[in-house]
Amino acid sequence: MKPLIKGIHHITAIAGNPQANIDFYTGILGLRLVKKTINFDAPDVYHFYFGDELGHPGTVFTTFPFAGARKGIKGTGELTYTAFSIASNSLAYWRERLGKYGIAISDTLTRFGHELIRFEDHDGMGIELIANDRDDRPGWSYGAIPQEHSIKGFYGATLLLRAKELTAKLLTEHMNYRLIGEEGNRYRYGTEGKPGDIVDIVVEPNGNRGMQSAGTVHHIAFRTENTSTQSEIQQILLKHGYQVTEVKDRNYFKSIYFREPGGVLFEIATDEPGFAIDEEEAHLGELLKLPDWAEPSRDRIEKSLAPVSLNPSNYD
């Protein structure tokens, strides 16, 4: 039987200034803007999707940019660090690149045998780059970043929780995850244990609760193959007492949502149909794409959104 959950689909964060958000993730990190749309639950706010060439599941970091939003606070009950995967020889390149743009970088850290660096974006979003030789995804570059050093997609994510037992039970008994390692108060879970499916739980029993706003993660989405497998996992979760939403149509995937026991918002999203359903692959992210129900309000929506432009060439 195929597993119902196949790793991380996407991670969605709250951001501040929309243009600064695009500049950082496309210009400095080199991710492709694969879709420019709106927050379906708040149509006067953008929803940006950044990923590899086609926005494959497991590569897509998305943002809701609220201009003028105050900065959030990292804390328990949140996903505090999003880790991206890079080649094993790429840390020196990224140290130099991030330093060129004045971004403060941690010392080189070692975790489960892999070296990494940690930093924050302009909003305070926690980011890690983990160097490894286990990722055969090609990555994406607008050209300024050499292909061999480009970000390949997610490595994993860190959940900061006051306790792990109930969340670990959810992951291992209902979501096809298994415990694959422990280091101090960090517990690592994976479906196959490869880049793109890693979830770390860091336990801080007395940690302060986080405050969600700009620079914090709104939710993490996990991959499922299609609506049939999504329905199966939905029924499993409901059977075990989780408060799961109805299926929501996000155009590029279908979604269900629920809170895991530690407070982090989880989503289960389908791999289908992807981001090329309303734009040619060569032109992903160029136009503001709206769901059908929002098209009658396009003029009003466009006037409510600050103009943004894509300028990766400004970051050589």
Side-chain angles (χ1 to χ4, degrees):
M1 180 183 297
K2 290 185 178 180
L4 299 179
I5 301 293
K6 303 192 295 180
I8 298 172
H9 186 281
H10 67 269
I11 293 173
T12 295
I14 301 171
N17 181 275
Q19 186 62 59
N21 190 242
I22 287 178
D23 290 346
F24 185 88
Y25 287 96
T26 64
I28 296 177
L29 293 192
L31 301 177
R32 186 181 187 187
L33 178 63
V34 294
K35 194 62 60 179
K36 179 171 60 175
T37 182
I38 56 171
N39 182 334
F40 287 11
D41 299 318
D44 292 335
V45 176
Y46 280 117
H47 193 176
F48 299 143
Y49 292 78
F50 306 99
D52 68 359
E53 182 177 10
L54 300 181
H56 290 105
T59 73
V60 180
F61 185 76
T62 99
T63 59
F64 301 140
F66 291 83
R70 65 179 179 176
K71 287 192 176 182
I73 300 172
K74 295 184 186 69
T76 59
E78 289 193 340
L79 193 165
T80 51
Y81 283 90
T82 298
F84 292 100
S85 177
I86 57 173
S88 57
N89 64 342
S90 293
L91 276 184
Y93 170 84
W94 280 99
R95 278 196 169 280
E96 180 179 354
R97 181 169 181 81
L98 295 169
K100 181 168 68 171
Y101 295 107
I103 297 168
I105 312 163
S106 72
D107 293 335
T108 299
L109 308 172
T110 301
R111 184 184 302 152
F112 296 105
H114 289 139
E115 292 188 333
L116 66 126
I117 54 174
R118 174 178 280 188
F119 55 97
E120 295 181 343
D121 75 2
H122 51 288
D123 288 316
M125 180 67 56
I127 301 171
E128 295 174 337
L129 297 180
I130 299 185
N132 69 96
D133 58 2
R134 302 182 59 210
D135 197 338
D136 58 4
R137 294 174 293 181
W140 163 261
S141 172
Y142 279 104
I145 297 171
Q147 185 72 27
E148 64 268 24
H149 296 308
S150 64
I151 288 174
K152 298 174 179 291
F154 292 128
Y155 186 92
T158 295
L159 312 183
L160 183 63
L161 305 178
R162 289 180 174 172
K164 71 173 178 63
E165 287 72 20
L166 293 179
T167 304
K169 181 178 180 180
L170 165 66
L171 290 170
T172 59
E173 294 187 8
H174 309 313
M175 294 181 63
N176 302 116
Y177 272 78
R178 58 186 174 87
L179 178 66
I180 58 176
E182 300 179 29
E183 283 189 356
N185 66 337
R186 181 180 291 269
Y187 301 83
R188 173 155 292 183
Y189 300 83
T191 56
E192 298 180 36
K194 67 182 190 308
D197 75 7
I198 300 297
V199 174
D200 286 355
I201 296 178
V202 172
V203 180
E204 288 189 4
N206 300 312
N208 294 323
R209 298 289 295 186
M211 184 187 74
Q212 223 173 60
S213 192
T216 64
V217 168
H218 186 268
H219 64 268
I220 178 172
F222 295 88
R223 297 177 58 187
T224 194
E225 188 168 344
N226 52 43
T227 55
S228 177
T229 57
Q230 183 182 65
S231 179
E232 287 186 61
I233 187 67
Q234 182 186 43
Q235 293 308 308
I236 291 171
L237 294 168
L238 287 169
K239 177 182 176 182
H240 288 90
Y242 294 95
Q243 302 299 309
V244 188
T245 68
E246 73 280 5
V247 175
K248 296 181 182 290
D249 186 350
R250 301 312 194 188
N251 265 30
Y252 313 107
F253 45 87
K254 301 288 197 305
S255 299
I256 56 174
Y257 301 84
F258 64 102
R259 292 271 175 194
E260 59 82 28
V264 181
L265 183 60
F266 278 12
E267 174 183 350
I268 310 294
T270 59
D271 283 354
E272 302 170 348
F275 294 102
I277 61 168
D278 56 4
E279 289 179 293
E280 294 181 5
E281 292 178 357
H283 299 286
L284 291 177
E286 293 183 4
L287 301 176
L288 177 66
K289 305 304 295 186
L290 299 179
D292 290 343
W293 55 262
E295 277 295 348
S297 302
R298 176 175 283 275
D299 287 346
R300 181 191 63 77
I301 290 171
E302 288 185 337
K303 289 176 182 177
S304 72
L305 297 170
V308 292
S309 58
L310 182 61
N311 305 301
S313 60
N314 292 345
Y315 298 84
D316 55 18

